[in-house]
Amino acid sequence: MPADQMGAAHPLHILLAEDETVTRLAARVLLERAGHRVVAVEDGPAAVAAAAADSFDLILMDLGLPGLPGDEAVRAIRHQPGGGTPRILMLTASATSEGQDRCNGCGADGTLIKPLRLDALLAALSRGAQTRTPAADPASEPAFDERAIGTMQEMLPAARVAELIEKTVAVLRQHGQTLDEALKKGDLTIAGAMAHKIAGVSGQYGCVALRRAARALEKELEEKGADTGGQAGELAGMLTPALEFLERCAAAARG
């Protein structure tokens, strides 16, 4: 369904808390195109402060926020005096049981698996408070979903689309380098965090196979404490074609 056909009957005032710039920009564009008013912040303390200062119909809270994790930010918001009871949905790219448990146990009303899709958001809102949208990464999915880029092209000037994609290329390349360095040093905490970030960014920009590999590596590192299944190598193998795909999309946008 085209994004411009997925607006709510009653536009919402939405607080979007997401630390990755390229993901936050893409999500904000989708929400605003659907007719909603959006306040976007990039860390946990800013989310708590914004919720205290204004009244929101909906809060979309990323789990992995800096400063104060998303689940802790939700708890802080729920305990604010006179803050009302806004609907809160967690956003996460996590494939791990620990990540899901944190989302489910913090007092949020549900969870949406990244990348943010308006049809999934509307379904979550229509089904009520305890909606949790499960992840779906079947191996039969294509490596790339060009609709993600196509949606942005429908909404933004071509130069702006190209700029966003180019920033995404730089972000993914840096995350990939940090991941590789962390694995070489045996720093599984940083490696898991980078896999999580790669999953979130790549999914929002249509790099489906890279997202799938990143989620698999994150899960492997959490559950087994090591990459025993060669998931890091699979992710590395997916990163180069993903970057090439995005670079082609940026060049096409610039004409």
Side-chain angles (χ1 to χ4, degrees), residues 75-137:
R75 291 187 179 94
I77 290 170
R78 290 300 194 209
H79 285 90
Q80 287 175 342
T85 55
R87 179 79 63 83
I88 302 178
L89 296 177
M90 303 300 294
L91 298 176
T92 182
S94 178
T96 70
S97 57
E98 188 266 345
Q100 293 302 310
D101 288 345
R102 287 173 58 196
C103 287
N104 297 342
C106 69
D109 298 298
T111 301
L112 289 173
I113 302 299
K114 291 182 181 179
L116 177 65
R117 295 284 184 260
L118 287 180
D119 52 355
L121 173 60
L122 293 183
L125 295 176
S126 67
R127 285 197 294 264
Q130 292 301 321
T131 297
R132 295 185 176 93
T133 304
D137 270 334

Side-chain angles (χ1 to χ4, degrees), residues 11-208:
L12 302 176
H13 189 203
I14 299 175
L15 173 61
L16 171 65
E18 164 63 56
D19 66 313
E20 282 285 0
T21 300
V22 291
T23 304
R24 184 173 64 254
L25 289 171
R28 182 170 189 166
V29 165
L30 289 172
L31 293 167
E32 290 182 338
R33 177 61 182 270
H36 304 297
R37 292 187 298 129
V38 180
V39 172
V41 298
E42 59 188 51
D43 59 44
V48 175
D54 204 347
S55 177
F56 293 95
D57 302 305
L58 173 67
I59 297 175
L60 298 175
M61 182 75 71
D62 181 49
L63 178 62
L65 293 175
L68 186 68
D71 52 335
E72 294 299 325
V74 170
R75 291 187 179 94
I77 290 170
R78 290 300 194 209
H79 285 90
Q80 287 175 342
T85 55
R87 179 79 63 83
I88 302 178
L89 296 177
M90 303 300 294
L91 298 176
T92 182
S94 178
T96 70
S97 57
E98 188 266 345
Q100 293 302 310
D101 288 345
R102 287 173 58 196
C103 287
N104 297 342
C106 69
D109 298 298
T111 301
L112 289 173
I113 302 299
K114 291 182 181 179
L116 177 65
R117 295 284 184 260
L118 287 180
D119 52 355
L121 173 60
L122 293 183
L125 295 176
S126 67
R127 285 197 294 264
Q130 292 301 321
T131 297
R132 295 185 176 93
T133 304
D137 270 334
S140 60
E141 284 185 332
F144 305 107
D145 181 1
E146 297 187 7
R147 293 173 298 176
I149 303 296
T151 298
M152 283 188 282
Q153 290 173 326
E154 293 173 4
M155 298 176 175
L156 295 171
R160 180 60 168 149
V161 173
E163 180 185 358
L164 282 174
I165 298 172
E166 288 164 357
K167 287 182 178 179
T168 302
V169 169
V171 166
L172 286 174
R173 183 172 285 120
Q174 181 59 57
H175 287 344
Q177 292 172 352
T178 304
L179 171 62
D180 184 58
E181 292 168 2
L183 289 170
K184 289 178 179 177
K185 294 177 181 177
D187 190 337
L188 301 186
T189 299
I190 295 297
M194 288 301 103
H196 180 83
K197 286 180 175 292
I198 290 170
V201 173
S202 59
Q204 196 69 52
Y205 286 80
C207 299
V208 179

